[in-house]
Amino acid sequence: MPTPRAFIIGSGPNGLSAAIVLARAGFRTTVFEQSDTLGGGCRSITRQGLTIDTCAAIHPTALASPFFQSLDLPISYAQPDIPLAHPLSDGDGLTLHRDITHMPRSWQRIFRPLTSHIDAVTSLTFNRRNTHLPTTIHFARHAATPASRYNPLFQGIAAHAFTRLDTPGSSAVGLALGTYAHTVGWPVIVGGSGALTAALVEASTRAGSGVQFTTSTRITSLRDLDAHPQRDVVILNTTPRFAADFLATSQQPRRIAKRYRRFRHGPAAYRIDIALRGDIPWLYDDARRAGTIHLGDPVATENDIAARKLPDLPFTLVGQQYLADPTRSTGNLNPIWAYAHVPAGYRGDVTSHILTHIEHHAPGFHDQIEQVWSRSVQQLEDDNPNYSGGDIAGGANTLRQLVARPRLRTPYDTGVPGVYLASASTPPGGGVHGMAGYHAARRALELYG
């Protein structure tokens, strides 16, 4: 009997995770990547001696991921003194402390039942399994409550979902990330996010007979694999629309193809990286020790973005990863990572909006800038087609798509035998955790066996 063959399209964390699972099961596995480097949204580059993460930069979901933890990867995580600070306009601010006892009682009432049963939360968010009914009920009750009903600190965390915050379900992502902040923290990977990709690639070479990688190769159709007549499993680390196009010449059921093409993507990110002399002179003291900074009114600005309007000061995230990992810096020059939420497909330049927003909370910041590199919405999508319209979250996090992503039952099945979808557009959604790839590969093994 011939050795089964598997082909993975896309080398992001989900694609690499699927490759490891299948190789361990005895499949001869090949990963195709259109870029000349592996990793998708989990890569690092060097500019002016600075280590810069190209997209994913803060990694609570990586440290919490059951699959990654099972691999015992040779990477190191580093924690900032403070996971998150949210400066306010008067120089004051709000702080997310890792130690939950330092948080207000109202905050503890929400998160203590979750942090006390972190294994149940992990199972619920990564595996969609209820292992502790009281925790599941508590999580579901608060997840169903619009995030706009909570304080601005929580609203900013919920805004990581790129969604309106006055709708049911908009608190779900905030609950998960808040729970992880008080347990595994919001760490960075020492040496840059690319170190995780390198570790996953190394793990794949040791799995089974090893995994082969083909870079600088864009596979757009099932026909592109005709040179490999034996293809027992194909896993797509792509958007649903790409998957529908990929399978257009096959017998994908019309109802599934229609659902894939109707899958909604969310707002976009506009990204900048800054080479900064010294530290950002935040007015709010805690921001000077925080790995992540939130700027702006999340509720108002997310409503504007959903209405396709760009606020003067859009909701902005600032990363100070070098505070936890000084190896990213060179001398007194530090890398600053920042992006603003903007309407899907936005064509304008938002660099000045982001810089002005930071300057508002840190007077003198402009004078310390050595260089700025901007990445527009279109450039993000050109670099990674999974970022449709600049959506780095893998799809709109509406209540419906939180539940049915991209479909309710068997979300990894494309309807074409042997072909599966495994990306941030499938459960458990966005983030660097590899769990979508893990689940899709396990589903493939279940049906193949």
Side-chain angles (χ1 to χ4, degrees):
M1 184 175 179
T3 302
R5 290 294 308 269
F7 297 93
I8 316 291
I9 311 303
S11 69
N14 286 313
L16 294 175
S17 297
I20 292 170
V21 172
L22 291 171
R24 283 180 165 181
F27 281 69
R28 191 151 57 99
T29 304
T30 300
V31 176
F32 291 99
E33 170 57 49
Q34 74 158 18
S35 177
D36 58 359
T37 58
L38 303 172
C42 191
R43 291 177 289 159
S44 302
I45 59 175
T46 301
R47 281 179 169 160
Q48 290 192 200
L50 305 175
T51 299
I52 295 172
D53 295 331
T54 62
C55 187
I58 309 295
H59 294 286
T61 58
L63 191 49
S65 167
F67 181 60
F68 285 175
Q69 294 314 302
S70 75
L71 297 177
D72 193 25
L73 297 170
I75 58 174
S76 298
Y77 293 93
Q79 303 278 358
D81 290 344
I82 294 172
L84 167 69
H86 191 148
L88 302 176
S89 58
D90 57 2
D92 199 357
L94 301 167
T95 300
L96 175 64
H97 296 280
R98 188 172 177 190
D99 186 343
I100 197 171
T101 64
H102 293 165
M103 301 300 292
R105 289 185 180 179
S106 58
W107 185 277
Q108 293 189 41
R109 281 195 294 270
I110 296 172
F111 283 101
R112 192 172 287 283
L114 301 176
T115 59
S116 298
H117 296 91
I118 184 59
D119 289 345
V121 174
T122 299
S123 181
L124 183 64
T125 55
F126 287 127
N127 300 314
R128 289 191 163 188
R129 292 177 184 164
N130 166 28
T131 58
H132 187 255
L133 185 58
T135 300
T136 299
I137 292 173
H138 183 85
F139 188 98
R141 178 167 64 87
H142 285 284
T145 303
S148 58
R149 297 186 184 178
Y150 298 108
N151 74 13
L153 183 66
F154 182 87
Q155 292 166 6
I157 301 172
H160 282 237
F162 284 83
T163 188
R164 287 183 56 152
L165 302 179
D166 55 358
T167 58
S170 57
S171 292
V173 170
L175 284 174
L177 292 179
T179 300
Y180 293 135
H182 295 304
T183 50
V184 299
W186 281 15
V188 302
I189 294 171
V190 175
S193 297
L196 173 59
T197 293
L200 289 171
V201 170
E202 175 62 25
S204 74
T205 64
R206 299 193 308 268
S209 57
V211 176
Q212 294 182 328
F213 295 93
T214 302
T215 58
S216 303
T217 302
R218 182 164 168 76
I219 305 294
T220 61
S221 167
L222 200 56
R223 286 180 174 174
D224 292 343
L225 297 176
D226 283 349
H228 309 278
Q230 183 194 348
R231 47 177 187 254
D232 301 284
V233 169
V234 176
I235 291 187
L236 305 176
N237 183 17
T238 70
T239 65
R241 179 172 290 278
F242 180 97
D245 291 342
F246 183 90
L247 297 170
T249 59
S250 66
Q251 298 300 312
Q252 185 181 34
R254 184 176 300 177
R255 72 183 187 283
I256 299 178
K258 184 177 180 181
R259 177 62 61 85
Y260 277 21
R261 294 187 187 282
R262 291 176 60 186
F263 184 80
R264 291 179 53 198
H265 282 275
Y270 188 101
R271 166 72 184 273
I272 69 171
D273 292 289
I274 304 165
L276 191 76
R277 295 185 300 274
D279 302 319
I280 300 179
W282 300 107
L283 292 176
Y284 181 50
D285 239 15
D286 280 356
R288 301 185 180 206
R289 298 187 295 126
T292 302
I293 309 295
H294 289 167
L295 301 177
D297 178 345
V299 176
T301 58
E302 295 305 286
N303 283 349
D304 283 346
I305 297 302
R308 305 192 65 80
K309 295 186 294 186
L310 180 69
D312 290 336
L313 297 175
F315 182 69
T316 298
L317 290 87
V318 181
Q320 303 180 136
Q321 292 90 340
Y322 74 93
L323 293 178
D325 177 17
T327 68
R328 296 167 180 248
S329 302
T330 179
N332 193 41
L333 200 62
N334 297 314
I336 301 296
W337 167 99
Y339 70 83
H341 290 193
V342 301
Y346 187 76
R347 297 293 180 180
D349 189 331
V350 189
T351 304
S352 62
H353 294 70
I354 299 174
L355 297 178
T356 298
H357 211 170
I358 298 174
E359 177 74 21
H360 178 73
H361 294 280
F365 161 75
H366 271 121
D367 297 335
Q368 298 175 223
I369 295 175
E370 182 78 20
Q371 191 166 351
V372 176
W373 300 277
S374 298
R375 295 175 68 197
S376 69
V377 170
Q378 188 59 54
Q379 286 171 324
L380 285 174
E381 184 175 3
D382 290 344
D383 184 56
N384 189 337
N386 277 8
Y387 300 155
S388 180
D391 171 15
I392 64 174
N397 284 298
T398 61
L399 181 59
R400 175 172 180 167
Q401 287 193 178
L402 283 171
V403 176
R405 189 177 182 91
R407 45 199 294 251
L408 182 59
R409 294 183 178 180
T410 58
Y412 311 103
D413 296 10
T414 65
V416 175
V419 183
Y420 303 87
L421 183 64
S423 67
S425 301
T426 62
V432 174
H433 44 64
M435 291 303 295
Y438 169 82
H439 287 309
R442 295 298 302 174
R443 175 66 174 169
L445 292 175
E446 174 189 336
L447 295 183
Y448 181 78

